[in-house]
Amino acid sequence: MRRKVPSTTVLMGFEAAARHVSFTEAAEELSLTQSAICRQIASLEEFLGVKLFRRGRQGVRLTEAGHNYHRLVAQRLNEIERDTLSVMGNHGTENALELAVVPTFGTRWLIPRLRRFKALHPNITVNMTNKTRPFLFSDTPFDAAIYFGDGEWSGTETTVFMRERPVPVCSPDLIGPKTTLAYEEILDYPLLQQTTRPYAWRHWFRSLDMRVERDMSGQRYELFTMLAEAAAHGMGIALIPPFLIERELEAGQLIVPVSHSFQSQGGYHFVLPDHRRDNEAVCLFRDWVLSEGEPE
C-alpha cells in the first residue's frame, strides 16, 4: 500500500519556510525561487487539506496547524539527517553503536574513558545521544542505554554498575570565611534541587537522623551540570556525586562544606534491549562499561 507521505523536497521547503516565517528566506536557503517555495507550500496544503500559512500584505504567518506540523516535520527531518549521516560515516557496517546516555554522566564519566575502549576495539564506533528518561527502544534507533534509576525497564536486561554517593557542595564565597559547616548549618543556606533526584536532600538528612521540613524546597535543575553551575555561582548548596564535578573541585570553584554522604537507592544501569542481546559490538561495549564501573 502506498504511504500517504509528502515528498521530502516539499517537506524541506515547508520546514525552511516555517522556520524563517518567510518564503523569500526559505528560497534563498534552498537555492530556489520564491515562486517554487510558494508552489511547494500550496501543494502541501492541498495534500493535507489544511492551511499551514496565512498570507497577508506584510508577509506570511503560521496557522496553529502549521506550528504543530512544523514541530513534527522538523523533528523527523533531523532524525532522517542523523540516520543518513550515521550510515555515511559508518559505511553501513554493523560496528556502529547508538547509545542513549544521561548527559552529565556521559560527558564527565564515560567520554574521558572511551579512549580505553577504542584501544581495545578500534573498529567499533560509539555514537551518543542525551536521554534523561526511559523510552521505548522500538521507537528509536538506539542499541543500548545508560541511565540512572531502579533498573525497571520492560523488554530489556539491565545491569547496575555504579552507585552515587553525593556530598553537599557550594561556592567558597557562599560560606566564607568558613570552609566547613556543621550538619545543621546547611539549613542556613538555600538547598538546590536536582529534578531527577527529588528526594536526595531528604535521604541525606535522614542518613543523619534529621527530619527537615523544607528538604524538597529550592530551585530545581534537570542536569547535574546546571546544578553545579548554580552552586558555583553562589545560589545555594547542592548534592552532587564528586566524580561528576572533579574539575570544579580541583579548580576550587566548588568545595565540600560537609563531608557526609550516603549511597543512592538507584544506580547507573547498562540497558540492553532484548533484540540486541546477540549483537557482538553492543555486548563488547556492555562488558567494558561494567568492568569500568565500581564493584557492587
Side-chain angles (χ1 to χ4, degrees):
M1 183 177 70
R2 183 176 179 182
R3 294 180 182 273
K4 199 169 183 64
V5 179
S7 74
T8 53
T9 300
V10 169
L11 290 177
M12 289 174 66
F14 164 68
E15 192 283 323
R19 178 163 32 87
H20 292 294
V21 197
S22 168
F23 290 0
T24 301
E25 292 184 37
E28 292 175 357
E29 178 181 314
L30 299 175
S31 299
L32 297 172
T33 63
Q34 184 184 21
S35 60
I37 293 293
C38 290
R39 288 194 298 271
Q40 288 182 357
I41 300 301
S43 69
L44 181 59
E45 290 178 325
E46 183 179 357
F47 180 88
L48 296 171
V50 173
K51 284 293 183 184
L52 301 172
F53 289 91
R54 299 191 191 281
R55 283 81 166 169
R57 292 183 178 181
Q58 296 182 343
V60 298
R61 58 190 178 92
L62 284 162
T63 64
E64 183 176 353
H67 274 294
N68 294 333
Y69 193 51
H70 174 248
R71 176 175 52 82
L72 297 172
V73 167
Q75 179 181 338
R76 300 299 185 274
L77 288 175
N78 287 338
E79 291 172 354
I80 291 171
E81 182 180 31
R82 183 193 64 201
D83 294 343
T84 301
L85 292 172
S86 176
V87 172
M88 293 170 63
N90 298 303
H91 306 290
T93 68
E94 293 295 322
N95 288 333
L97 191 160
E98 296 293 335
L99 180 71
V101 61
V102 282
T104 309
F105 184 85
T107 302
R108 295 297 182 92
W109 188 88
L110 183 57
I111 289 177
R113 290 167 168 77
L114 272 183
R115 186 170 59 180
R116 297 205 283 264
F117 177 77
K118 196 67 176 176
L120 294 171
H121 306 285
N123 295 324
I124 298 178
T125 299
V126 180
N127 301 319
M128 290 191 288
T129 301
N130 288 339
K131 285 285 184 180
T132 58
R133 311 282 182 176
F135 53 86
L136 293 176
F137 278 93
S138 59
D139 295 339
T140 72
F142 298 121
D143 299 301
I146 292 176
Y147 96 115
F148 182 89
D150 58 11
E152 295 295 326
W153 195 320
S154 179
T156 71
E157 176 185 283
T158 63
T159 308
V160 64
F161 63 94
M162 279 188 67
R163 301 281 181 181
E164 288 181 343
R165 295 173 179 81
V167 295
V169 296
C170 65
S171 164
D173 294 335
L174 181 69
I175 65 170
K178 294 181 179 180
T179 57
T180 61
L181 298 173
Y183 302 142
E184 61 275 8
E185 288 182 298
I186 290 280
L187 297 172
D188 295 334
Y189 302 89
L191 303 179
L192 302 179
Q193 308 285 346
Q194 218 272 16
T195 306
T196 59
R197 315 286 194 277
Y199 299 103
W201 275 112
R202 176 164 297 178
H203 293 154
W204 187 84
F205 284 119
R206 290 190 175 178
S207 69
L208 292 166
D209 292 326
M210 296 175 65
R211 298 293 186 269
V212 175
E213 289 186 4
R214 64 180 186 90
D215 54 13
M216 294 180 64
S217 300
Q219 296 184 77
R220 297 186 178 278
Y221 302 89
E222 184 175 13
L223 305 180
F224 275 123
T225 49
M226 294 176 172
L227 198 63
E229 196 69 15
H233 281 82
M235 297 178 68
I237 300 178
L239 273 178
I240 305 178
F243 75 90
L244 294 177
I245 49 171
E246 290 177 350
R247 298 177 194 169
E248 290 85 350
L249 292 171
E250 290 176 2
Q253 295 173 299
L254 291 174
I255 61 172
V256 180
V258 179
S259 60
H260 179 74
S261 183
F262 69 97
Q263 180 171 284
S264 62
Q265 294 180 337
Y268 290 95
H269 291 76
F270 192 93
V271 184
L272 180 63
D274 292 340
H275 68 279
R276 281 299 192 208
R277 289 189 181 187
D278 296 328
N279 183 285
E280 182 181 7
V282 177
C283 290
L284 286 171
F285 185 73
R286 177 200 57 191
D287 293 344
W288 173 79
V289 168
L290 299 185
S291 71
E292 289 284 323
E294 299 174 351
E296 280 292 294

